[in-house]
Amino acid sequence: MIDQIQRLGEKALAAVESATGVSVLEEIRISILGKKGELSECLRGLAQLSALERPKVGAAANEWKTKIETALSAKKALFDEQALAETLKRETIDLTLPARRHRLGALHPITQTTRRIVEIFSKLGFDLMTGPEVETDYMCFEAVNIPADHPARDMQDTFFLGTGVLLRTQTTSIQTRALRSQSYPVRIICPGAVYRNDHDATHSPMFHQVEGLFVDRGVKMSDLKGTLEFFAREIFGEKVGIRLRPSYFPFVEPGAEVDVSCFRCAGKDASCRVCKGTGWLEILGAGMVHPRLLELAGYPADEVSGFAFGMGIDRIAMILHEISDLRLMFSGESRFVSQFSSP
Ligand code: PHE
């Protein structure tokens, strides 16, 4: 019987040796060591043996059993190792491959410019204020000294939405809202979209303005000039200067149009792309708040005074980035926007 066990054992070891995969190993294990396996079958004859032989056969059987188990698990470890090596080979990461590009979005140049302008004025203590785009005729015109029959209404082709309701044509409407809702000192900077019935390369029916308003005791024209000079240098560079040309807006007296000297050529290049050789860029309208606005809002007009200004944000962005056609700004073209990587 010991011989039989030995033959069985040797056969099993040989089978393990030539096994081709983990599943084959499992088959061998079941066919030899399993409950109905050959070794178990063989050991069933143990009972017929004499008490002298039984322990010897038993010991031999155990020895073979251990040998086979050891061989099985050694072979299995080998197969596992091979499998792992193959997986690793298949799944290696090539660190020299170029990475997938993640395209960073860019803020629209108008958003960037708006934020920059607000940031500059907030350094001077101006608070951000906004107002509704759908506005009353009263807030947009009447209260800023443009009554219904005033010829100045011609300057701003208005979209009316109904009687007395319109799309605001100027952020000056926010001046009214501010003066009606707070007492002096008022120091606000108000960006927003405005609407006029006008459409070509330099005009869009929707564009953006930013309004500034400062009302307090003793505000003078020189405060306006100093403030605008500071702004111009912050946004266009240290070297620029400004000039005020007398102009008319019904809500200021005196009123001015403000030019900034060309930050690119300073007037020295007759063929300058930015200023077209004039040396100056018109950037905004401004002036001293008309006393009538203060009176209408219930301010003591003999005690307080103020200045106001309004500028086109789109125009500033176009000058800064040398954009030639305003329509590009509103084209929704991502290739256009992506050129203006955000700071
Ligand atoms: N609201 C004027 C415009 O749209 C600009 C302006 C604002 C002028 C404030 C003077 C003072 O043209």
Side-chain angles (χ1 to χ4, degrees):
M1 197 166 172
I2 291 198
D3 287 351
Q4 199 189 347
I5 291 173
Q6 175 151 0
R7 259 180 278 126
L8 199 62
E10 277 164 4
K11 189 181 87 179
L13 288 185
V16 169
E17 189 50 45
S18 59
T20 49
V22 192
S23 56
V24 181
L25 291 180
E26 184 59 9
E27 279 165 22
I28 298 171
R29 195 187 63 74
I30 295 168
S31 73
I32 308 287
L33 307 176
K35 258 188 199 152
K36 292 180 185 159
E38 291 183 57
L39 188 61
S40 321
E41 287 295 326
C42 177
L43 289 179
R44 228 156 259 155
L46 216 57
Q48 273 95 55
L49 296 178
S50 67
L52 203 66
E53 277 194 82
R54 209 180 294 144
K56 284 187 199 161
V57 176
N62 271 335
E63 207 174 293
W64 276 106
K65 195 178 167 209
T66 317
K67 266 192 199 167
I68 296 166
E69 275 169 353
T70 314
L72 279 170
S73 60
K75 195 72 175 176
K76 178 159 190 305
L78 192 72
F79 284 142
D80 287 349
E81 210 173 288
Q82 281 171 358
L84 178 66
E86 254 167 55
T87 317
L88 286 178
K89 203 167 149 199
R90 206 174 42 235
E91 294 177 1
T92 35
I93 299 166
D94 183 352
L95 294 175
T96 65
L97 278 176
R100 205 171 293 153
R101 275 183 64 167
H102 288 284
R103 290 177 55 123
L104 260 191
L107 287 177
H108 194 285
I110 293 176
T111 308
Q112 288 187 38
T113 308
T114 306
R115 291 190 182 175
R116 181 84 189 100
I117 294 170
V118 170
E119 183 185 84
I120 293 168
F121 282 100
S122 61
K123 283 193 206 175
L124 296 175
F126 284 73
D127 291 326
L128 178 70
M129 181 171 170
T130 53
E133 291 172 24
V134 173
E135 190 51 284
T136 58
D137 184 295
Y138 181 81
M139 291 286 176
C140 193
F141 293 130
E142 289 278 343
V144 294
N145 221 7
I146 315 179
D149 57 356
H150 198 289
R153 289 209 178 198
D154 277 356
M155 299 196 308
Q156 306 183 357
D157 268 329
T158 310
F159 291 112
F160 285 94
L161 300 177
T163 344
V165 183
L166 43 78
L167 288 175
R168 69 179 175 198
T169 57
Q170 50 181 358
T171 43
T172 303
S173 58
I174 307 173
Q175 282 195 37
T176 315
R177 290 186 172 270
L179 293 174
R180 304 295 159 105
S181 64
Q182 47 188 282
S183 68
Y184 67 91
V186 175
R187 202 190 275 117
I188 50 166
I189 187 81
C190 325
V194 296
Y195 302 82
R196 290 182 201 179
N197 192 2
D198 215 349
H199 203 189
D200 59 35
T202 51
H203 295 89
S204 155
M206 188 278 307
F207 59 106
H208 302 83
Q209 286 190 332
V210 58
E211 194 86 5
L213 174 67
F214 178 31
V215 177
D216 199 358
R217 282 172 194 273
V219 177
K220 299 182 296 293
M221 191 86 176
S222 53
D223 297 316
L224 170 64
K225 194 168 179 227
T227 302
L228 294 178
E229 211 160 50
F230 173 81
F231 165 73
R233 294 198 171 135
E234 285 279 311
I235 198 146
F236 294 114
E238 268 308 306
K239 292 200 196 78
V240 302
I242 61 165
R243 73 176 182 191
L244 274 62
R245 283 180 289 107
S247 186
Y248 173 72
F249 301 97
F251 31 87
V252 287
E253 180 56 37
E257 261 165 335
V258 181
D259 300 338
V260 58
S261 60
C262 180
F263 59 92
R264 187 173 166 274
C265 78
K268 295 195 183 81
D269 178 2
S271 56
C272 176
R273 293 190 306 273
V274 176
C275 67
K276 309 276 179 302
T278 62
W280 295 95
L281 299 157
E282 186 192 324
I283 56 162
L284 55 85
M288 299 306 289
V289 178
H290 198 291
R292 188 164 154 71
L293 268 67
L294 300 174
E295 274 162 21
L296 279 175
Y299 279 57
D302 48 345
E303 282 173 35
V304 297
S305 55
F307 68 67
F309 58 85
M311 68 181 117
I313 300 176
D314 320 63
R315 184 165 154 70
I316 305 270
M318 285 174 80
I319 294 172
L320 282 174
H321 299 290
E322 295 189 27
I323 298 163
S324 54
D325 193 330
L326 176 65
R327 287 170 292 203
L328 275 172
M329 296 272 209
F330 309 119
S331 61
E333 175 62 80
S334 65
R335 286 178 305 171
F336 168 75
V337 178
S338 64
Q339 296 174 71
F340 306 93
S341 60
S342 310

